[in-house]
Amino acid sequence: MAKIILGIESSCDETAAAVLQQENDRIQILSNIVASSALLQSKYGGIIPEQAAREQLKSIIPVIKEALEQADKKPTDLDEIAVTYGPGLIGSLLVGVETAKVLSQVWQKPLIPVNHLIGHFYANWIQDRISDIGNQKSNVPSFPCIGLLVSGGHSDLVLFKDHGQFKYLGGTRDDAAGECFDKTARILGLPYPGGPEISKLAQKGDPQKFNLPRPMWGSEDYDFSFSGLKTAVSNLIAKTKIDDKNLDDLCASIQQAIIDSLIKKTILAAENNNIEQIIVAGGVAANQELVRQLREQFKGQVLVPPPILCTDNAAMIASAAFFIKPSGALLNIQANPNLSLVY
Ligand code: KG4
Ligand code: ZN
């Protein structure tokens, strides 16, 4: 019998809902709706939390309605509802969590709270995808595997032993990889979010042109540090005239510095733990150059979701929920902006 879950995601500036179906161990997307206020936020060079929350409030009901309609499902068809309860911006999270609690109560469906960071990894478990990303079938991860999460707020390495069983290995000591893309883009006057902009310009640039730091490169831990990179870029542009050609080279050099740090520690984690599979997740996993170079350098298998499932979406939240048991008391489910992967 197929199991159907409605996923809801509202941790930052995306309001998302998706309906997923699990049948014979295959997880399929029936609908995947994302409304983003990123364009609005880009006018201000970053996210204004109050504004993001207001946009969440406007979009949440229409987005859920559209997800059900596109999936051709009624609330009675659902088995469960899954919602991101953290980490993220408290105002944004509250919109999703409280809406999900009300729907769970009214529709009499169990509610599953999902850690957004874990959710990102579960985009890798979605096998059949809707037509807008091609009807491709892909491998699902097998345990044990190393997980690299690279998003706007997090850069973490974990060792997955099974569903719900993982060991935190390390992470960034300061800025996240995506944050580093966003902040250096801002210094260069490029729009928010910076990752896609920098990676686009980087395609035409020389990654060796500028010598930028790779902090913690040689350390034997699994930690990263990216804040020095934005200072180095600030110092560099104070001394160097940046024209169109230089800008491409600088973007390529920034991207390469981030990629080098991520790949070094990820492969170190896999080799030290004798792991043959790496799963990558989060918005920065949409960076094709990161994926290409990781696949080139790692002797095992590297799984990465298609770009549309790397950035924030609700399909990943529903996917994670297929592997989590409902937790009972609705009132105990509270938005937690500080949730992490360190338990
Ligand atoms: O996972 P995500 O959508 O939201 C968070 O949970 O943070 O990640 C957003 C981050 C942003 O920092 C954005 O600049 C980065 O992902 N990003 C990229 C690319 N696409 C999005 N970074 C590098 N290359 C990309 N193609
Ligand atoms: Zn995210």
Side-chain angles (χ1 to χ4, degrees):
M1 248 277 280
K3 182 174 181 183
I4 296 177
I5 297 186
L6 166 70
I8 299 173
E9 153 64 39
S10 74
S11 63
C12 192
D13 56 351
E14 267 93 25
T15 314
V19 178
L20 271 70
Q21 171 176 297
Q22 186 188 45
E23 195 169 23
N24 302 328
D25 284 341
R26 299 190 79 80
I27 296 177
Q28 239 184 323
I29 297 180
L30 303 183
S31 66
N32 184 25
I33 311 296
V34 182
S36 176
S37 65
L39 206 62
L40 187 69
Q41 313 291 338
S42 72
K43 284 194 197 143
Y44 308 96
I47 295 171
I48 299 174
E50 290 77 7
Q51 192 179 45
R54 271 200 302 276
E55 293 303 311
Q56 292 283 359
L57 211 49
K58 277 192 221 159
S59 304
I60 191 90
I61 298 295
V63 163
I64 292 173
K65 251 181 103 179
E66 200 179 329
L68 286 169
E69 273 169 24
Q70 265 198 25
D72 201 19
K73 298 291 173 202
K74 300 182 291 300
T76 46
D77 298 324
L78 301 175
D79 291 291
E80 288 160 4
I81 300 171
V83 67
T84 299
Y85 74 113
L89 303 170
I90 183 65
S92 290
L93 282 169
L94 276 170
V95 174
V97 170
E98 295 308 314
T99 305
K101 280 159 92 169
V102 171
L103 294 179
S104 156
Q105 187 84 344
V106 174
W107 293 344
Q108 288 294 295
K109 303 291 173 189
L111 181 62
I112 303 182
V114 178
N115 178 329
H116 178 86
L117 309 176
I118 294 291
H120 268 300
F121 285 118
Y122 274 86
N124 282 292
W125 266 267
I126 299 171
Q127 273 178 300
D128 292 344
R129 288 145 187 164
I130 46 173
S131 51
D132 63 343
I133 36 177
N135 198 15
Q136 48 181 301
K137 293 191 172 75
S138 59
N139 292 329
V140 291
S142 49
F143 298 111
C145 60
I146 291 291
L148 168 68
L149 173 68
V150 271
S151 70
H154 293 83
S155 302
D156 294 310
L157 275 168
V158 291
L159 169 59
F160 277 102
K161 296 173 185 164
D162 206 336
H163 295 295
Q165 272 185 49
F166 62 88
K167 183 178 163 202
Y168 180 81
L169 297 176
T172 185
R173 300 219 175 154
D174 37 58
D175 292 350
E179 190 179 0
C180 184
F181 272 112
D182 295 339
K183 285 181 175 171
T184 48
R186 193 176 177 165
I187 295 169
L188 298 174
L190 298 171
Y192 171 86
E197 291 295 324
I198 290 191
S199 66
K200 198 168 71 197
L201 297 177
Q203 284 172 8
K204 296 173 278 165
D206 172 6
Q208 312 301 333
K209 186 67 183 264
F210 294 101
N211 187 15
L212 294 169
R214 281 126 172 97
M216 311 198 62
W217 169 259
S219 63
E220 281 299 309
D221 50 40
Y222 305 117
D223 288 345
F224 311 106
S225 166
F226 292 109
S227 70
L229 191 52
K230 84 183 171 244
T231 315
V233 171
S234 279
N235 292 342
L236 189 105
I237 64 168
K239 293 188 300 216
T240 314
K241 189 172 161 342
I242 300 293
D243 56 24
D244 278 356
K245 179 71 188 98
N246 262 353
L247 183 61
D248 295 344
D249 293 336
L250 185 50
C251 286
S253 303
I254 292 167
Q255 176 174 272
Q256 194 57 49
I258 297 172
I259 288 176
D260 282 349
S261 299
L262 292 173
I263 290 184
K264 177 84 194 275
K265 294 298 177 79
T266 306
I267 293 182
L268 185 71
E271 287 178 350
N272 285 352
N273 291 284
N274 286 320
I275 304 289
E276 284 166 14
Q277 192 183 64
I278 292 169
I279 62 173
V280 192
V284 180
N287 188 293
Q288 298 304 298
E289 195 51 25
L290 166 67
V291 175
R292 192 189 66 75
Q293 292 187 29
L294 183 57
R295 287 199 166 126
E296 195 175 80
Q297 292 179 42
F298 182 53
K299 58 182 185 334
Q301 193 182 28
V302 177
L303 297 186
V304 187
I308 195 175
L309 296 177
C310 289
T311 48
D312 285 351
N313 65 85
M316 66 188 200
I317 302 303
S319 174
F322 286 111
F323 302 96
I324 303 172
K325 288 195 178 60
S327 63
L330 209 57
L331 288 177
N332 292 342
I333 299 174
Q334 303 290 344
N336 179 355
N338 301 318
L339 208 62
S340 74
L341 289 171
V342 191
Y343 289 97

